[in-house]
Amino acid sequence: MSDKVMKRILVTGATGQIGSELTIALRRKYGRDNVVAVGHRKQPSETLLSSGPYETADLTDKASAEKLVKKYEIDTIYHLAAILSATGEKNPQQAWNVNMGSLYNILEIAREQKLARLFWPSSIAVFGPTTPRISTPQETVLLPHTMYGITKVAGELLCNYYFIRFGVDVRSLRYPGIISSEVLPGGGTTDYAVEIFYEAIKKRRYTCFVREDTVLPMMYMPDCIKATIDLMEAEPSRVKRHDSYNVAGMSFSAGELVAEIKKYVPDFRCDYKPDFRQAIADSWPMSIDDSLARKEWGWKPDYDLADMTRDMIEKLSKRHGEGKL
Ligand code: SER
C-alpha cells in the first residue's frame, strides 16, 4: 500500500484549529480540488469554503465517511476530528464514543478501500502522573488520567495493530499544545497559551486557568504543519513506528510566556485562577524527548518561544490591535 502516490486527500476536523490551517497548506501543495475539507457542526471559515471542496459528515457513522471517500476517490486521510482533554472530562462517555468510534471507522475504511496513507494525531495526553515529566522518552509509562488521553493510548495501539495486521500505512505524532493565530482551539488544556495572545492584544488583561509555574510542551502551527506533512511524505522505510512519534517544539511556563508577551505589550497584566484543568496540566510532561523523530525522518522545529511570540503578536496586532477593534 505504501508505494501508492497520494493524490486525493480528505481532512476531517477541517474547521478546527489544526485542520483549518493544514487543509490550506495541503491545497497549496497538492492542488485545491484534491483536498476535501470535512467538518461537522462548526461553521467553516470563508477561506476554507472558497479554497476547495467542503463537505459535512458524522464520522461516528461509517457510511457517512465512506460516501465521501468514494465520491472523491480519496486515497489519503488526515483524521483530525476529536474531542479534546477539557471537554472530554465534562463528558467522558461522549469523548470515548467520538474519538474511538471515528478512528475505528476511518481505519476500517483505510483497510477496505486500500488507502495509500492515513494520518491520525496522538498527543502528550497519552502520558500520565507516573510518567517521567522532564524530557519524556518515546518509550515510557502510558497511564493517562483523562478520557482524552485514554482514547489517544487506545488509538495508538489500534493504529499499530492495523499496520501490523492489515498493512494500513497509518502515521501519527504526539502533538504538544499547538499555538496558532487563525482559528482558536476548543476544549483543550493548552488553550490558555493561545487565548492569552488574543486577550493581551484586545484587552491587555488575561485570567489564566493554570498556575504561573505550569510548564507544558508547546509547538507553533508552522512547525505542526511541517511535522505532519514531512511525516506523511517520508519514505516508508524511514517510518518505523506506526503507533506515534514524540515531537517537541518548545517548553515554557505560563509566567515565562507572560514575560515574553510583555516585551511587546508592556502594560499587559495576567492573573492566575487555576481550575480543573490544572490537574490535567500537572499530569502531563514538561518537556519531550523527540530524538527518534529527528533520527528516523529528520524532524527539526523552526520556532522557539521568542520567534513564536514575535510572529503571533505581529499577526494578531494586524487583525485585532488598536484601531481594528
Ligand atoms: N492540546 C490538547 C489538549 O489540551 C493536547 O493534545 O487537550
Side-chain angles (χ1 to χ4, degrees):
M1 276 186 207
S2 308
D3 52 350
K4 280 196 188 169
V5 191
M6 299 181 281
K7 292 188 302 272
R8 308 276 296 172
I9 299 170
L10 190 112
V11 183
T12 76
T15 56
Q17 184 199 12
I18 300 172
S20 54
E21 293 198 49
L22 182 65
T23 302
I24 304 299
L26 291 170
R27 282 177 176 165
R28 280 203 193 105
K29 203 170 165 57
Y30 297 103
R32 47 170 291 150
D33 294 327
N34 292 325
V35 183
V36 183
V38 180
H40 188 205
R41 290 205 188 96
K42 198 167 150 191
Q43 183 59 30
S45 69
E46 205 25 62
T47 323
L48 198 64
L49 281 178
S50 60
S51 61
Y54 178 80
E55 298 272 359
T56 56
D58 173 5
L59 302 167
T60 58
D61 169 19
K62 189 177 166 213
S64 171
E66 215 160 31
K67 210 170 75 195
L68 296 179
V69 168
K70 288 190 177 144
K71 176 174 169 190
Y72 290 97
E73 294 173 11
I74 296 299
D75 58 35
T76 302
I77 300 180
Y78 289 75
H79 175 44
L80 304 180
I83 289 179
L84 296 187
S85 59
T87 309
E89 286 318 288
K90 290 184 182 151
N91 193 343
Q93 295 77 9
Q94 186 196 30
W96 175 268
N97 288 339
V98 170
N99 294 4
M100 293 318 296
S102 66
L103 175 61
Y104 179 73
N105 287 340
I106 297 289
L107 280 166
E108 274 292 279
I109 292 171
R111 176 182 74 81
E112 289 165 359
Q113 309 293 325
K114 303 194 178 355
L115 299 192
R117 223 158 269 181
L118 168 61
F119 177 83
W120 172 78
S122 184
S123 160
I124 52 166
V126 293
F127 305 115
T130 53
T131 306
R133 293 187 70 204
I134 296 171
S135 202
T136 301
Q138 174 74 41
E139 304 267 15
T140 186
V141 182
L142 301 180
L143 278 175
H145 279 196
T146 61
M147 181 54 95
Y148 173 69
I150 290 166
T151 66
K152 291 299 184 188
V153 175
E156 287 190 6
L157 296 174
L158 204 56
C159 287
N160 195 48
Y161 177 81
Y162 269 71
F163 173 74
I164 296 167
R165 181 77 167 78
F166 304 118
V168 173
D169 188 357
V170 50
R171 302 177 178 197
S172 175
L173 299 171
R174 288 173 178 157
Y175 285 150
I178 305 295
I179 299 171
S180 67
S181 58
E182 301 308 307
V183 172
L184 280 164
T189 301
T190 54
D191 293 11
Y192 66 90
V194 185
E195 290 168 7
I196 197 169
F197 282 99
Y198 284 78
E199 299 303 297
I201 298 290
K202 289 184 182 172
K203 301 189 189 131
R204 309 266 187 277
R205 291 277 177 280
Y206 181 61
T207 304
C208 185
F209 58 76
V210 295
R211 279 191 324 267
E212 190 173 3
D213 64 353
T214 306
V215 178
L216 283 171
M218 302 278 179
M219 182 180 280
Y220 195 35
M221 185 61 90
D223 276 335
C224 170
I225 296 201
K226 184 176 79 158
T228 307
I229 296 180
D230 281 1
L231 174 67
M232 284 295 272
E233 289 198 332
E235 283 300 316
S237 62
R238 301 187 72 182
V239 181
K240 302 209 172 69
R241 294 199 77 104
H242 294 271
D243 51 351
S244 197
Y245 281 96
N246 277 8
V247 277
M250 60 190 95
S251 281
F252 51 77
S253 69
E256 284 165 338
L257 178 58
V258 169
E260 198 61 35
I261 293 174
K262 275 189 172 165
K263 291 182 184 167
Y264 302 90
V265 189
D267 58 343
F268 175 49
R269 208 185 76 206
C270 184
D271 303 309
Y272 300 90
K273 231 178 157 184
D275 65 16
F276 74 101
R277 290 169 281 192
Q278 183 69 54
I280 301 178
D282 289 342
S283 76
W284 288 354
M286 294 197 267
S287 58
I288 298 288
D289 175 358
D290 62 357
S291 47
L292 193 73
R294 288 173 185 256
K295 191 175 118 219
E296 289 194 352
W297 47 273
W299 162 243
K300 194 173 164 296
D302 291 326
Y303 288 83
D304 62 13
L305 173 60
D307 302 326
M308 177 277 288
T309 305
R310 192 184 319 114
D311 203 53
M312 281 292 285
I313 298 276
E314 200 185 297
K315 292 215 163 77
L316 293 179
S317 301
K318 274 194 200 139
R319 205 177 323 137
H320 301 289
E322 266 154 29
K324 305 263 157 88
L325 286 173

